[in-house]
Amino acid sequence: MHDTWKQFEENSITHSAAHHLIAIKELKESRGYARVTDVARHLNITTGSASTNLKSLKTKGLIAEDENRFLSLSPEGEALAAAVQARKHILEKFLRDVLEVDPEQAEVDACKTEHLISSETARKLERFVNGFLANKNEKAA
């Protein structure tokens, strides 16, 4: 019997944690800073919830908070956030442009699975999608 179900449990971060990392990344890119209250507002959750979730990410070494309460991503946190964003992008593109799923549903489904697929699967899916779309565009031309 395969222990595939265990691999699900061994994912490095949860769906919620992925969104917290991405929120910090997006806030820092758009504003230059991120605090717990900014993350809470960005994710439309309570400050208490954000604080609890961010504490866990600090413990894992994925984020840091300075003396002025500004949050930053560690190199590992930055890499995880970027990887999740890239996976969401390719999943959404696959669902929308290859399977022709409604764009709103494609975004929802991509969001649900973005942190679950392996980097190998994401790379191969991206190669497939790009090849499929290039072939589709050649035939249309």
Side-chain angles (χ1 to χ4, degrees), residues 5 22 32-34 39 41 44 49 57 61-62 66-67 76 78 89 92 95 101 118 132:
W5 65 273
I22 291 168
Y33 66 91
V39 171
R41 214 172 296 117
N44 199 24
S49 251
L57 293 172
L62 298 174
D66 70 17
E67 64 279 354
E76 185 185 358
E78 181 76 39
H89 175 73
E92 194 171 340
L95 295 168
V101 172
S118 69
F132 178 88

Side-chain angles (χ1 to χ4, degrees), residues 7 14 28 30 44 84 96 108 119 125:
Q7 290 179 17
T14 64
K28 288 195 59 108
S30 66
N44 199 24
V84 171
R96 185 187 61 236
V108 168
S119 55
L125 183 60

Side-chain angles (χ1 to χ4, degrees), residues 14-140:
T14 64
H15 183 82
S16 174
H19 281 271
H20 282 67
L21 293 175
I22 291 168
I24 294 168
K25 185 176 187 317
E26 290 175 350
L27 286 163
K28 288 195 59 108
E29 287 169 356
S30 66
R31 303 178 159 196
Y33 66 91
R35 297 166 304 185
V36 173
T37 54
D38 303 315
V39 171
R41 214 172 296 117
H42 190 78
L43 296 174
N44 199 24
I45 60 175
T46 66
T47 303
S49 251
S51 182
T52 300
N53 293 324
L54 292 167
K55 200 172 291 181
S56 168
L57 293 172
K58 281 183 219 167
T59 303
K60 291 180 179 179
L62 298 174
I63 64 170
E65 187 173 17
D66 70 17
E67 64 279 354
N68 297 311
R69 305 186 76 93
F70 289 108
L71 301 167
S72 62
L73 297 172
S74 69
E76 185 185 358
E78 181 76 39
L80 266 170
V84 171
Q85 285 178 311
R87 288 174 186 158
K88 180 180 180 186
H89 175 73
I90 195 58
L91 283 163
E92 194 171 340
K93 192 173 178 181
F94 172 70
L95 295 168
R96 185 187 61 236
D97 300 342
V98 175
L99 298 183
E100 299 178 357
V101 172
D102 174 77
E104 284 184 31
Q105 188 62 50
E107 183 181 1
V108 168
D109 290 346
C111 181
K112 288 178 185 176
T113 55
E114 66 199 2
H115 66 291
L116 298 174
I117 65 171
S118 69
S119 55
E120 177 188 7
T121 299
R123 276 193 316 275
K124 290 181 177 180
L125 183 60
E126 183 172 27
R127 190 171 44 213
F128 170 80
V129 168
N130 291 338
F132 178 88
L133 294 175
N135 190 31
K136 184 177 174 182
N137 289 337
E138 280 177 22
K139 288 181 180 177

